[in-house]
Amino acid sequence: MTKQEPIAAQSCGIVLFLSVMTDFVLAPPALSGTAQSAIQAVLLCTVLLCVLLPVFLWFPVLTGKLFCALYGAVFLFASASAFLQIQRFYTAVSDVPLSQSIVFGLLLLAALFAVSNGWAAIGRTGQIVLLVFLLSILFLLLGNLTHFRITNLKFTQNLPQKTLTDCVQLFAIPAEILLFCMPNQAKSKVKKAELQKAELQKAIVAIGGVLSLLLLCAELRLGAYGTNQTQPLYLLARMGGISVFKRTDVLHICAWLFAAMIRTAALLYGAKMMIQECFPHKRDAIYTALTALLVTVAAGMCSGLSFVLLRGILSVAAVLLLCAAICGRIRRNVPCANKN
Amino acid sequence: MRKQKLKALVCAICLLLCGCSTQPRLSERAIVKAIYLDQTGDIIEAALVVFTCDSGTDLSSVNGQARVYTGSGNSVDAAITAAEEKQNKKPFYAQNELLLIGNGAMQGKATSLLQYFTEEETLRQNLHVFYTPALCSEIVAYEPRMTEIVRVCEGMIHRLSGKTQFAQSVYALRENACGYLPVLKLQDSETMPVQADGLLLVQNGCAVASIDGIAMQLVPLLSEQTSTLTLRFTADDIDTTVVMQNLFLEKEIENNCLSLRLCGKAERCTQNGCTLQKDDGRHVIACANEQLERAFTALHEITFLHKNDVFNFAWWLRQQNNAEVEQALSDDAFYKPQRVRFQSSIHAA
């Protein structure tokens, strides 16, 4: 196995937070239409992910080219999906958008540059981007605060049924979690693994909290109008203003795209690592070129699919890989590396 | 070192790529500051109030002379496109905050017109909607004064947004286009080319009544968009003014009926410009309470009792028993006078 850069525990939490948040902000799933059911679904998903997370971390991936190829495929498709999300979002919100291929090319170059700088650089940039992203969310809420109306909150009929429907739409196992249980992570010390688990759990709880707040605020501002909107948060960004600044949406878009770039870079980093595992002892430029080529092919394959479907497929793939890891461990009777 | 140079080269290429698309310059933009729409039969008339600016001018300080371009068509889109084509610049709608709806469009057709503005992504969904009795030809006739008119209207929106918000956003009116629109009257006055003149009550895209006087002042209070009120009325044949602050609506729900109680303090009472002392003040405040209750009854008559729940009273009743409200609505027994009661309990500071 080639030597990999260890992933700092704090960076894991930050990358996970930014990934899930941008996934929700750039390509929000179609929910049943009320904040009440959506918030309940978010909280349920949060609990579910918190429960599943230790299982993922206790059963780190198996080594071997086949497993690396499978993990690599998941990362490639996840990063392709992230690229497409940014590409479609950017094209939708631009007054005079660049052509989609140029956007994709630029994003790919930027992400490859981030990957070439290594995980530590992605993690450190993630810290700054997190701050910018949180400020954006804060200003988004402040900009709309005076227009919140409690009477905009809608009543949910058949609440349990709608909560379950929203749960199905919302629940996903982010591919980034797989990144944190890579083989090199398994070899790390127990204390670090515990720290990583704590950071990830904190991130998941923070995601649940921020998403619930955003859903509530979107309904308080938009009411029934928000129901059929494909981009309710972008709409909030367009409507909200602070003092004399009436159109701050461009600033929000920048912050969200930065966060999305961190996600893409992290996933592409995972893909490159796995390609390295599959074809060891080659030059770095070859790995970079191969990653770029494969992610472009993956993006081409995914371009016709909806993000909800992609999210579902990637979640199922993650679960299958986890099951395979568990089975493999049991068959070989190998103790779990991260377990106390 | 060679690697770093390569990275720098790639970054430079990326920067150059950003200019690949043909971006229109600011001076090639027509900055739309207001849209006027009216409908006669099946023909929709649109007027765009457009500002242009010289290259190098900052977007936020468009100061050119406003021009009005008109167009007509079978749909809002066709009418606006026809108006856009009257000039050769690329229209830019991101700064537009004003939507003026003419009289013809308010005869039951406003719903579809407003729907266009909520669905069109290049426009702002929080456009403020105003009603104007002026015809499209009159809007064109006012072109030399349009710069001033737009400035006054925008000032009105911002002033109103900060304190008392009469203007509703296009998206807030969307659901069956029920709500109220401020009435704007264009006039020949040198100092005030446009004047806000009451509110127009809208139901299902149709103008149903006018609201003015104390009832108009009560509208933002009932919509909970203000907490201050300056009431002017005649008590004992004397011009009286009561300034009220920290107003709020206390709500109580009992037996599926909503009781509203307007609470707050009267900060200052004046009659013919003289501030009143405590005892006289009490009498005037009692008159003010009476005036407010009377205004509510009149307002209630033209809104709730006509199945136009612009103040969302049903929402509060649903808090107690949603099923009962649904049942009453389906039995056509919901919009009854006793369903909502109002009491004004303003007291002296």
Side-chain angles (χ1 to χ4, degrees), chain B residues 29-104:
Chain B
R29 296 272 202 176
I31 292 146
V32 180
K33 294 291 268 185
I35 301 172
Y36 167 88
L37 278 182
D38 203 0
Q39 188 166 4
T40 318
D42 288 337
I43 300 296
I44 294 170
E45 284 180 294
L48 300 180
V49 179
V50 165
F51 286 70
T52 53
C53 55
D54 300 326
S55 52
T57 311
D58 180 53
L59 198 63
S60 61
S61 56
V62 180
N63 288 318
Q65 174 63 43
R67 299 293 307 272
V68 179
Y69 297 99
T70 58
S72 57
N74 292 325
S75 63
V76 180
D77 194 42
I80 289 180
T81 309
E84 283 174 359
E85 284 169 357
K86 293 274 171 69
Q87 45 90 53
N88 55 4
K89 295 189 176 182
K90 187 174 165 59
F92 182 68
Y93 289 95
Q95 286 206 342
N96 181 24
E97 289 182 295
L98 290 169
L99 174 63
L100 309 177
I101 304 277
N103 193 39

Side-chain angles (χ1 to χ4, degrees), chain B residues 278-328:
Chain B
K278 264 193 172 176
D279 287 342
D280 294 332
R282 274 200 196 104
H283 171 66
V284 165
I285 290 165
C287 288
N289 281 328
E290 202 181 305
Q291 293 277 348
L292 284 168
E293 282 172 15
R294 215 175 295 158
F296 177 82
T297 310
L299 200 57
H300 197 53
E301 179 73 37
I302 54 173
T303 56
F304 191 79
L305 298 183
H306 274 79
K307 299 181 182 178
N308 191 3
D309 189 11
V310 287
F311 305 115
N312 257 321
F313 293 144
W315 189 89
W316 295 100
L317 289 161
R318 282 175 197 271
Q319 297 300 313
Q320 195 193 39
N321 196 333
N322 189 31
E324 231 173 273
V325 171
E326 288 293 329
Q327 186 62 42

